[in-house]
Amino acid sequence: MHRAKKTIEALLLLVATVFLSLHFVHLRADFPNNSPWMDWSKYTDEGWYGNAAIEHYLRGSWYVPGDFNPAVALPVWPLLEGLVFHFTGVSIVAARSLAVGTFVCILIAAWFLLRRYQAGVAPAVAVLLLAVSPFCYAFTRLAIIEPLLILATLLALLAASAASSAKLHPARRRLWPLILLGVLLPLMILTKTTAVFLLPSVFYLLWSSCGYAWRPFFRASAISISIAAALWCAYFFLLVRPHYLADYRYLFSANGYTGITAATFWQVMHDTVRDGNWMDRVLYPLALALMLFAAAAAQRLWRNPLFTALALWMAGYLFF
């Protein structure tokens, strides 16, 4: 039985690898216009968030005074793109290759994370579903920042899960996952600021790794949060505040029109749930129904800390 499961798992991963390799084919092709997904990112975001890397390669400086400079607040993706452009030159193929490479790393990270909490072929099935998803295919071929945020969050969840079993006992202290987590947290936020809404997911998994005991959890959190705060404050107070504060503020003020009020709350909530249909008119309602079923009936699922952490991840983004 064990050998049969291993064979099935290997076959599933082989099929996933074949479909994953297709992501690298014809990277010059634009986002499919006749797809059911309408999103402005296919028109704007590749240029916006790669602008600093492009300017640095072409002009020798990443910063353009008076222009929209999102790299001030979101420097991680432009830095990676700039490194790639150093060897390849500026091209849409190079930028999208980096995005697809990020998706490859997402599948690997998801595989390792799921294996920590779920036995059998389920991790391989999950990787296969991601690899064959046309939704993931369309969006992860764009040179946008969301895939990198997903990868950073998965790595943070892995670090939180590895902080674990020792429960910070002095004789068995495992500091490296907590140090890694402390580095990943500011990287998440400096990749995309909405990462703040994903932090409850990461810290829930850290809490479960500490045996749901508050004292070990506070000790573990203190280590990671101290490192994260030191890194983010160093970036903000040594670089942003003295030189680029206006650009930093502009990134947030540009989205100021999207406010929510008491009068519009229920309409916004209704539209948020309804508009998810653009992802898929069958799978999206089915996913909502399964989530409601899990919340109400499948108590066994909630006993798996990864399930709860991922539910918090989705809830955090929905709340944002």
Side-chain angles (χ1 to χ4, degrees):
M1 180 64 72
H2 178 72
R3 188 171 182 179
K5 286 183 178 180
K6 287 292 184 182
T7 302
I8 294 172
E9 183 180 54
L11 289 173
L12 291 171
L13 292 175
L14 178 61
V15 174
T17 302
V18 171
F19 277 89
L20 182 60
S21 66
L22 297 176
H23 285 62
F24 288 95
V25 177
H26 195 22
L27 285 171
R28 290 185 182 276
D30 286 330
F31 194 98
N33 280 326
N34 296 319
S35 73
W37 313 300
M38 176 57 202
D39 193 279
W40 286 108
S41 64
K42 70 179 184 177
Y43 299 115
T44 59
D45 288 13
E46 288 181 292
W48 273 6
Y49 298 118
N51 183 58
I54 296 168
E55 293 288 352
H56 185 268
Y57 185 87
L58 297 179
R59 299 175 60 254
S61 174
W62 66 271
Y63 182 75
V64 180
D67 197 1
F68 179 48
N69 294 290
V72 170
L74 311 171
V76 180
W77 178 255
L79 281 171
L80 291 176
E81 261 194 344
L83 181 63
V84 171
F85 292 162
H86 175 75
F87 296 100
T88 66
V90 175
S91 75
I92 194 67
V93 172
R96 289 176 177 172
S97 295
L98 178 61
V100 177
T102 301
F103 184 59
V104 173
C105 294
I106 286 173
L107 296 192
I108 295 172
W111 159 257
F112 280 107
L113 182 62
L114 287 165
R115 278 175 61 89
R116 294 185 69 90
Y117 293 94
Q118 185 67 48
V121 299
V125 171
V127 169
L128 177 62
L129 289 174
L130 290 170
V132 303
S133 166
F135 181 82
C136 290
Y137 173 82
F139 278 98
T140 59
R141 280 165 54 94
L142 291 178
I144 56 180
I145 56 180
E146 280 75 13
L148 186 60
L149 174 59
I150 293 170
L151 175 59
T153 307
L154 286 171
L155 293 176
L157 290 172
L158 269 169
S161 67
S164 78
S165 36
K167 297 182 184 178
L168 295 184
H169 188 282
R172 303 166 58 199
R173 195 176 303 240
R174 300 180 64 190
L175 288 179
W176 70 263
L178 301 177
I179 295 172
L180 179 59
L181 181 58
V183 174
L184 286 167
L185 293 178
L187 283 178
M188 288 169 58
I189 296 171
L190 293 174
T191 298
K192 190 175 184 183
T193 52
T194 50
V196 170
F197 295 88
L198 307 184
L199 296 184
S201 171
V202 175
F203 281 100
Y204 177 84
L205 205 59
L206 181 60
W207 184 43
S208 74
S209 296
C210 294
Y212 301 104
W214 288 109
R215 183 172 294 179
F217 170 68
F218 286 139
R219 291 174 180 169
S221 298
I223 295 171
S224 296
I225 291 175
S226 297
I227 295 171
L231 292 174
W232 189 88
C233 287
Y235 175 77
F236 183 81
F237 290 106
L238 297 179
L239 181 65
V240 173
R241 185 177 177 83
H243 306 290
Y244 309 110
L245 187 59
D247 298 273
Y248 187 89
R249 288 173 171 168
Y250 179 73
L251 179 69
F252 301 98
S253 63
N255 291 317
Y257 65 90
T258 57
I260 184 172
T261 66
T264 62
F265 176 81
W266 291 112
Q267 185 63 43
V268 169
M269 292 298 294
H270 171 268
D271 292 346
T272 298
V273 175
R274 182 203 60 194
D275 290 348
N277 282 314
W278 71 272
M279 288 183 281
D280 191 276
R281 293 186 179 276
V282 175
L283 295 180
Y284 174 71
L286 180 61
L288 290 180
L290 288 173
M291 288 171 60
L292 292 174
F293 171 77
Q299 296 299 316
R300 182 176 62 86
L301 288 174
W302 294 103
R303 288 194 289 270
N304 185 327
L306 181 60
F307 179 85
T308 306
L310 295 179
L312 286 171
W313 183 339
M314 291 187 291
Y317 240 93
L318 180 63
F319 177 79
F320 169 75

